[in-house]
Amino acid sequence: MVEHTGDEETAGDDGRADGVSEVLDRPLPEGIRRRVIALVAEAFGGLTVAELPPQLRQYARFTPVRRAKFAGNAMAAAVETDTAFRQRVSARLRETGSELAQALEAGSPPAAADPEDVAAMAFVLRPPGWVKLVTAAGEEAQRASAERAGEEAQRELRQLREELTRVRGEARTDAERARGELETVRKEGEALQRKLRSALSDVRRGEAALRKVHGELEALRSDAAAELAAALGETRRVKARLAEAEAALEASRRAVREGRSVEDMRLRLLLDTVLDAAQGLRRELALPPTSVHPADLVDAVEPGRMTPKDIAARALSETDPALLDQLLALPQAHLVVDGYNVTKTGYPTMPLDKQRLRLLGGLSMLAAQTGAEMTCVFDGAELAAPVLLAPPRGVRVLFSKPGVTADELIRQLVRAEPPGRPVVVVSTDREVADGVAKAGARPVASALLLKRLART
């Protein structure tokens, strides 16, 4: 980065005329450049957004560390090219009361200060002689870098020499160990040769033993063949004895069957005796023949005897609202409503709270007209807070607990009712309808209730 000064910068940042335009004729060393960016990033926060160059305003809310990380190049370029911005940064550094800034303004930088810190502050403040300070700091940094490089080279050379000495020692040790291992291998080879000769002798002895075993095996095969023939003869004799045993068993079974036939005959004779006695008792009592059966005593409507009113009642469609009126007219009827199933069928575009109020208002009027008990169930699993709702007169409002669906709550309500009580469940959910039907309730579709409420 090279700082160019023009005719407009012939006076110092504090208004004093130095009479000389100083120009840095070489790039800033990297160490000084990083410290300049750190100074600008620190003073950056004391400026308003309007005082910042347009390209730096997006970093106004960043912390100094993040500002230096993401906007370092942009801030360096702004300090180099934007004189007004650099002067604002200089003024901010003076306001912070930095001892280094005050010493540079007085023309006497501290002798104990880091040269790179002095050069970075001088580059931003531009006091008289700032170019010399920056140049001297850069040369000092280069000299220190060269010294560090020389020390590093010396250190590496010492390490290499030590490594060479160590490697030579290890090589001598490895050579001695290899000679020892070679002698050991030679001795092991001689031992293996002796073992090989002994193994060959063992193989010859084994072959002789194998030939002997083959002879013994042939003898055993001959003996086994003789024993097999004897076993086959014994098997034939056992089969003959088994056939004789089976014949004796069949004879005993036949004798058992004949004895059972005698018992069956005696039982049949006893049964005939009882039947004859029953016939005699019927003749003695002289009972008239029966023309009426128990099924004829059950109260029902026979075909051809139904009244027009009965036919009309039984011909109601499943979608006729009058069917719901008939069901609610039953004694002690209880209407259980799957709330959201009905509201999302009838008015799904309304908010949930409006859906609940509309449905409960209709159920309140229906309860007043029919006198039936009514319970409306809503799914409360996703409620973030309790619902502030005043149940209307004649309608019980229930929300399911967390972990329990409205469908399960409806099934619990149906199971809680005594057998025989008329319970009507309003839901289009097939699983709910099938479940409550098995429990003895009467399921009806949500559309039927919506049509009935539209008439109230």
Side-chain angles (χ1 to χ4, degrees):
M1 180 178 64
V2 180
E3 176 65 30
H4 299 283
T5 59
D7 295 338
E8 71 280 0
E9 192 181 346
T10 59
D13 296 329
D14 57 357
R16 298 171 303 163
D18 56 17
V20 179
S21 297
E22 300 184 40
V23 178
L24 188 64
D25 59 353
R26 66 187 66 184
L28 278 177
E30 183 60 27
I32 298 176
R33 181 177 180 276
R34 286 196 299 270
R35 302 195 185 197
V36 168
I37 292 174
L39 287 174
V40 175
E42 189 65 35
F44 197 107
L47 303 177
T48 64
V49 176
E51 291 175 337
L52 298 175
Q55 69 272 20
L56 296 179
R57 291 175 181 174
Q58 58 180 322
Y59 307 107
R61 297 182 180 272
F62 282 31
T63 61
V65 175
R66 295 183 71 243
R67 199 177 295 137
K69 179 179 179 181
F70 296 102
N73 293 332
M75 290 191 296
V79 170
E80 179 181 356
T81 59
D82 193 335
T83 302
F85 174 65
R86 183 182 57 75
Q87 290 175 351
R88 295 188 186 102
V89 173
S90 301
R92 180 62 184 169
L93 291 176
R94 293 190 189 95
E95 292 174 1
T96 58
S98 172
E99 294 180 0
L100 180 57
Q102 294 174 1
L104 287 175
E105 289 294 323
S108 57
D114 189 332
E116 291 188 351
D117 289 341
V118 174
M121 185 67 74
F123 182 81
V124 178
L125 297 180
R126 304 295 173 87
W130 68 274
V131 174
K132 293 181 180 180
L133 294 173
V134 174
T135 303
E139 293 173 352
E140 179 65 24
Q142 291 177 356
R143 184 165 53 256
S145 177
E147 291 177 357
R148 287 193 298 272
E151 293 175 357
E152 184 68 23
Q154 291 293 332
R155 185 165 55 255
E156 290 181 358
L157 181 58
R158 286 194 299 273
Q159 291 177 353
L160 289 175
R161 287 175 178 173
E162 294 173 357
E163 182 69 18
L164 179 59
T165 302
R166 184 182 61 79
V167 169
R168 285 176 177 174
E170 292 179 353
R172 285 193 297 270
T173 304
D174 292 342
E176 293 175 357
R177 185 169 58 252
R179 284 193 293 270
E181 290 177 354
L182 180 61
E183 182 65 21
T184 302
V185 169
R186 186 181 62 79
K187 293 179 180 179
E188 291 178 352
E190 294 176 355
L192 287 175
Q193 288 179 356
R194 290 192 297 271
K195 291 181 180 179
L196 178 59
R197 288 191 293 270
S198 176
L200 290 175
S201 300
D202 293 341
V203 168
R204 294 189 190 97
R205 287 193 296 271
E207 289 176 348
L210 181 61
R211 287 191 293 271
K212 180 180 179 181
V213 169
H214 278 308
E216 294 176 353
L217 180 60
E218 289 298 330
L220 289 175
R221 285 177 178 172
S222 299
D223 294 342
E227 291 178 358
L228 178 61
L232 290 176
E234 183 65 22
T235 302
R236 286 192 291 271
R237 288 192 294 273
V238 170
K239 286 182 177 179
R241 287 197 297 271
L242 180 61
E244 294 175 358
E246 289 178 349
L249 178 62
E250 180 62 25
S252 64
R253 287 177 178 173
R254 187 162 47 256
V256 170
R257 286 197 296 272
E258 291 175 354
R260 184 174 179 180
S261 299
V262 173
E263 293 297 329
D264 291 344
M265 179 184 64
R266 294 175 63 188
L267 181 61
R268 178 60 184 268
L269 180 60
L270 177 61
L271 180 60
D272 291 342
T273 303
V274 172
L275 290 176
D276 292 341
Q279 291 292 338
L281 182 61
R282 177 181 295 177
R283 287 192 299 271
E284 183 178 352
L285 295 177
L287 294 175
T290 59
S291 60
V292 179
H293 297 279
D296 297 329
L297 303 179
V298 177
D299 187 13
V301 177
E302 298 180 2
R305 299 183 181 181
M306 298 177 66
T307 64
K309 180 178 180 181
D310 295 332
I311 296 175
R314 292 177 179 271
L316 290 178
S317 170
E318 289 291 330
T319 59
D320 190 346
L323 175 62
L324 185 60
D325 289 334
Q326 284 189 357
L327 294 174
L328 296 181
L330 296 173
Q332 298 296 321
H334 185 186
L335 180 68
V336 180
V337 181
D338 188 349
Y340 287 139
N341 186 278
V342 175
T343 60
K344 292 180 180 180
T345 301
Y347 18 90
T349 59
M350 298 176 64
L352 288 182
D353 55 344
K354 301 296 183 182
Q355 293 181 16
R356 290 193 294 264
L357 291 176
R358 181 170 177 178
L359 174 61
L360 294 176
L363 291 178
S364 177
M365 290 188 288
L366 183 62
Q369 294 172 1
T370 61
E373 179 183 356
M374 296 193 181
T375 302
C376 187
V377 178
F378 294 104
D379 194 345
E382 299 180 357
L383 293 178
V387 176
L388 300 178
L389 177 67
R393 187 180 185 85
V395 181
R396 180 188 299 106
V397 181
L398 299 177
F399 287 89
S400 63
K401 295 181 179 179
V404 180
T405 63
D407 300 347
E408 178 59 26
L409 182 56
I410 290 173
R411 286 190 283 269
Q412 293 177 8
L413 289 171
V414 173
R415 290 194 296 268
E417 294 294 344
R421 183 182 183 184
V423 180
V424 182
V425 177
V426 180
S427 179
T428 309
D429 191 326
R430 175 52 54 190
E431 183 178 355
V432 175
D434 294 342
V436 299
K438 291 179 180 179
R442 174 64 159 87
V444 298
S446 298
L448 184 65
L449 176 61
L450 289 170
K451 289 181 180 180
R452 178 61 182 83
L453 294 180
R455 288 169 34 189
T456 57

